């Protein structure tokens, strides 16, 4: 499926690219400043996606209400669907999450690595048993893992404002 609309957003985690058709969000690219993007024909859904992502970063939105189309294997789409059930501000380890769908922690990590819609499909809420784990294909250290750490801290502050 090809994106017919696209937006570039400046966010607290850097520039991100939003890709969507007229019917569904199909991708969010973190670190969009590392590759060339052009903005084409924004539509009503693009505007709604941008508004909801901005509200998330402002601490005003905890649950996205967007039509999404995440292209992947049957297993990956099953994992991505289940990720949306993890409450805002909460985390599970790869192993804990794997038990909920009767698979392995490594398989969960693989599905998370290929998540085409990070943030909206909250794979950042899955962490390693002994630390933060990886994010978007990067393991333990680096800019993407720093993004994961920022997202988790942001959600925990919003979910628990007294802490």
């Amino acid at each position: 499926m090809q994106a017919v609309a696209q937006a570039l957003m400046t966010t607290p985690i850097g520039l991100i690219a939003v890709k969507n058709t007229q019917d569904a969000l199909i991708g969010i690219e973190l670190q969009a400043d590392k590759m060339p993007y052009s903005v084409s024909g924004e539509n009503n859904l693009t505007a709604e996606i941008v508004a909801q992502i901005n509200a998330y970063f402002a601490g005003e939105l905890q649950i996205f209400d967007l039509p999404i189309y995440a292209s992947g294997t049957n297993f990956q789409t099953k994992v991505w669907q289940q990720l949306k059930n993890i409450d805002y501000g909460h985390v599970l380890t790869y192993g804990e999450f794997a038990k909920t769908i009767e698979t392995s922690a490594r398989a969960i990590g693989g599905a998370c690595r290929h998540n085409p819609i990070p943030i909206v499909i909250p794979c950042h809420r899955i962490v390693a048993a002994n630390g933060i784990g990886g994010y978007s294909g990067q393991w333990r250290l680096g800019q993407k893992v720093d993004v994961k750490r920022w997202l988790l801290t942001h959600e925990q502050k919003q979910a628990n404002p007294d802490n």
Side-chain angles (χ1 to χ4, degrees):
M1 185 176 274
Q2 185 178 18
V4 295
Q6 193 174 53
L8 293 175
M9 298 180 63
T10 301
T11 72
I13 60 169
L15 190 67
I16 63 173
V18 174
K19 299 177 183 180
N20 66 282
T21 66
Q22 291 187 11
D23 301 318
L25 171 61
I26 61 170
I28 292 178
E29 296 286 337
L30 304 174
Q31 300 178 326
D33 55 335
K34 298 205 186 251
M35 56 182 64
Y37 280 97
S38 62
V39 177
S40 64
E42 185 173 327
N43 60 39
N44 290 339
L45 181 57
T46 307
E48 181 60 25
I49 293 165
V50 168
Q52 287 193 32
I53 291 172
N54 280 331
Y56 168 84
F57 282 115
E60 300 164 354
L61 181 89
Q62 295 185 359
I63 300 170
F64 290 95
D65 183 20
L66 297 167
I68 63 172
Y69 176 78
S71 180
T73 67
N74 287 340
F75 176 76
Q76 289 170 335
T77 56
K78 176 182 177 181
V79 170
W80 300 334
Q81 188 63 37
Q82 292 300 314
L83 284 168
K84 294 189 293 181
N85 295 328
I86 302 172
D87 290 337
Y88 181 95
H90 292 87
V91 297
L92 292 174
T93 67
Y94 291 96
E96 290 169 335
F97 186 70
K99 288 178 186 173
T100 68
I101 58 172
E102 299 177 349
T103 192
S104 71
R106 186 174 298 260
I108 296 300
C112 288
R113 181 180 312 109
H114 292 97
N115 175 7
I117 311 174
I119 303 169
V120 174
I121 298 176
C123 58
H124 60 276
R125 296 178 188 157
I126 303 295
V127 298
N130 60 351
I132 195 161
Y135 192 57
S136 292
Q138 192 171 64
W139 187 246
R140 296 195 190 270
L141 298 172
Q143 189 176 4
K144 288 183 180 177
V145 176
D146 291 343
V147 166
K148 179 178 185 173
R149 189 173 287 109
W150 190 96
L151 294 170
L152 291 173
T153 301
H154 170 70
E155 289 187 7
Q156 290 166 354
K157 284 181 182 175
Q158 300 302 318
N160 304 302
D162 296 331
N163 293 338

